[in-house]
């Protein structure tokens, strides 16, 4: 299969594509994927196709018939080749979709390139005709204008950035790396390259080398919040243009780099057997996403700590924040992380106001299950590092069976201990059992001190303020004071405050965020709020009796006077210096 891609009028957001198939047979089918690997949602890419027509390559029109929303059949007769022309509307700026405008073009192969069923294993070449002065950044071999993938999977796994992007190169463990940056912002490119190199070297050392010839980070600086998608030899990262300062935000951005990069091993070169081969036409189900996303999220923090970017205090704060988030998710008591993995297509990728009450993220819980498993393995004289490398040595280039992670953990922990762990934490919904004492830590709890208190650190000294009463709502981001979600079993849930209610007054007086917090402190547990809300543009009054704020804010504290063994275990695990005296 060969493709010609052109973009004669980038402002129209249309990619013009010719798909050329030699020796097509009498009635070849061509198909556009409905999803792209790594992002478990049926996106129906075909809704952006238009103007589909076919010819025989010598000017003769051929009939083309739509078989369903994503499949076409060409009446090729005895033609030696077919050329299918179409346009793809590209105006969705995410890491999984396509975007084309006057400044650049970005594409994911699955959203643009038709494939011929039965011919996916053949090489797929793309010739790109870009505007004057534009260049192409992609992990595919070839260039500057023609690139060849060894098969359709590699084509779909190799996003392309077209434009006048800046390229920041660096070398890590002897291999060339590039960061191709589109968009402007407050990024210090030299520092970003240097920190990224440290992350790459840390993870490369962990996994025994870098399994590629060349690696590409495509970085989009936009107004949007962060997002990333992993590929075998590249990644696309969408980052808010001002996410490089202050330090907290910069560390979050580096965490995204570490996360997507770690996937080159964990989900790209070894992936669930249920996703082998990829079926681009429909959902594929696995119970292992908690491992492939959760363990990756866990190594995101560990990589930054071991690379010397996070110190012990900041590393522990990030774990404490994740524990706090889990604590505030009632769905964690209803849905196991295995079920969350299985239902990714309709749960994690289709969140709504009830998600926290009914479901759990396999990223969040998976990260913390990985922590619990690491601690259990360390107690048994092993570690998650060893489990990861053992898994990788068994399954590199192959599929991991649904019981593969547990079976490998059983080799290191013993079969009974592994079964107990997986029953409780992976198949079950019981509270996490964290063996923190061995690394000199203990888990502490307190009530939140503000609406945006994410936890991870001890209470700030605030003796002046009485304890606030608890409503049990999350506030929406944005200028309106609106309810984003109502926590199950909370006072607001019982009293009938709804998601999307806009809070306008309490006891007849206007409230904003600050005033609402003050009223909660003033009335305290046992008091009540008389709230006036707009609900579907109608004023409604809801009185909510307040409860004591739950101890759902968590942090990890270093023990006083740790033993040498605890201190050494902490430092071996985190790669950082012991945080206490
Ligand atoms: Zn991921």
């Amino acid at each position: 299969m060969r493709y010609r891609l052109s973009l004669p009028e980038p402002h129209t957001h249309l990619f013009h594509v010719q798909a050329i198939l030699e020796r097509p047979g009498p009635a070849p089918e061509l198909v556009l994927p409905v999803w792209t690997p790594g992002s478990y949602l049926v996106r129906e890419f075909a809704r952006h196709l238009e103007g589909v027509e076919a010819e025989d390559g010598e000017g003769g029109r051929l009939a083309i018939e739509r078989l369903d929303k994503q499949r076409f059949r060409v009446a090729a007769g005895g033609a030696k080749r077919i050329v299918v022309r179409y346009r793809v509307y590209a105006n969705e700026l995410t890491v999984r979709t396509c975007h084309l405008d006057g400044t650049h073009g970005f594409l994911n192969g699955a959203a643009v390139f038709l494939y011929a069923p039965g011919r996916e294993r053949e090489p797929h070449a793309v010739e790109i005709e870009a505007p004057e002065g534009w260049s192409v950044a992609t992990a595919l071999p070839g260039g500057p204008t023609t690139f060849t993938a060894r098969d359709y999977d590699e084509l779909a796994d190799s996003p392309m950035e077209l434009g006048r992007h800046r390229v920041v190169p660096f070398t890590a463990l002897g291999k060339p790396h590039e960061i191709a940056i589109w968009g402007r912002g407050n990024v210090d490119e030299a520092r970003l390259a240097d920190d990224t190199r440290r992350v790459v070297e840390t993870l490369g050392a962990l996994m025994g080398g870098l399994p590629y010839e060349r690696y590409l980070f495509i970085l989009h600086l936009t107004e949007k919040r962060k997002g990333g998608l992993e590929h075998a030899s590249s990644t696309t990262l969408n980052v808010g243009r001002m996410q490089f300062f202050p330090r907290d935000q910069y560390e979050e951005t580096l965490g995204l780099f570490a996360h997507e990069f770690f996937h080159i091993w964990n989900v790209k070169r070894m992936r669930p057997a249920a996703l082998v081969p990829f079926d681009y036409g429909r959902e594929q189900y696995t119970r292992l996403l908690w491992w492939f996303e959760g363990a990756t999220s866990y190594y995101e923090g560990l990589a930054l700590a071991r690379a010397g970017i996070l110190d012990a205090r900041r590393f522990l704060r990030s774990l404490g924040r994740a524990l706090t988030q889990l604590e505030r998710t009632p769905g964690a008591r209803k849905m196991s992380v295995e079920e969350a993995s299985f239902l990714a297509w309709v749960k994690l990728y289709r969140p709504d106001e009830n998600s926290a009450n009914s479901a759990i993220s396999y990223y969040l819980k998976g990260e913390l299950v990985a922590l619990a498993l690491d601690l259990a393995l360390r107690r048994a004289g092993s570690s998650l590092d060893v489990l990861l490398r053992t898994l990788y040595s068994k399954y590199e280039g192959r599929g991991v069976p649904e019981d593969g992670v547990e079976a490998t953990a059983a080799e290191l922990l013993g079969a009974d201990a592994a079964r107990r762990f997986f029953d409780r934490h992976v198949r079950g919904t019981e509270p996490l059992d964290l063996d923190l004492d061995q690394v000199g830590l203990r888990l502490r709890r307190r009530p939140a001190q503000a609406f945006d208190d994410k936890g991870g650190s001890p209470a700030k000294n605030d003796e002046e303020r009485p304890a606030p009463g608890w409503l049990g709502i999350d506030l929406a981001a944005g200028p309106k004071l609106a309810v984003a979600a109502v926590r199950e079993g909370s006072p607001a849930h019982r009293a009938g405050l709804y998601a999307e209610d806009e809070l306008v007054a309490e006891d007849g007086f206007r409230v904003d965020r600050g005033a609402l917090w003050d009223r909660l402190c003033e009335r305290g547990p046992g008091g009540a709020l008389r709230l006036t809300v707009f609900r579907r543009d109608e004023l409604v009054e809801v009185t909510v009796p307040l409860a004591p704020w739950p101890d759902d804010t968590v942090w990890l504290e270093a023990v006083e006077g740790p033993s040498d063994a605890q201190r050494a275990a902490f430092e071996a695990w985190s790669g950082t210096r012991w945080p206490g005296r």
Side-chain angles (χ1 to χ4, degrees), residues 496-565:
L497 207 57
Y498 298 170
E500 295 185 32
D501 281 353
E502 183 188 352
L503 310 178
V504 291
E506 197 283 316
D507 201 24
F509 297 102
R510 186 196 294 275
V511 280
D512 58 13
R513 237 165 208 270
L516 182 64
W517 183 260
D518 287 345
R519 296 292 81 72
L520 290 172
C521 294
E522 186 178 5
R523 306 286 156 67
L529 293 191
R530 188 168 69 86
L531 292 165
T532 308
V533 307
F534 269 120
R535 179 175 297 164
R536 298 186 292 273
D537 287 346
E538 185 179 357
L539 270 184
V540 175
E541 200 172 283
V542 184
T543 297
V544 189
L546 303 176
W549 207 289
D551 276 344
D552 62 2
T553 306
V554 175
W555 82 99
L556 297 176
E557 184 180 67
V559 298
E560 291 285 327
S563 68
D564 290 348

Side-chain angles (χ1 to χ4, degrees), residues 230 259-260 263 292-293 296 363:
E230 69 276 6
H259 180 106
E260 304 307 338
H263 275 314
F292 287 99
E293 288 301 343
T296 299
Y363 283 82

Side-chain angles (χ1 to χ4, degrees), residues 186 242-252 314:
N186 62 349
M242 293 310 208
Q243 292 296 307
F244 299 82
F245 183 90
R247 191 169 156 183
D248 276 16
Q249 282 175 26
Y250 180 56
E251 285 169 1
E252 225 179 89
R314 299 171 86 84

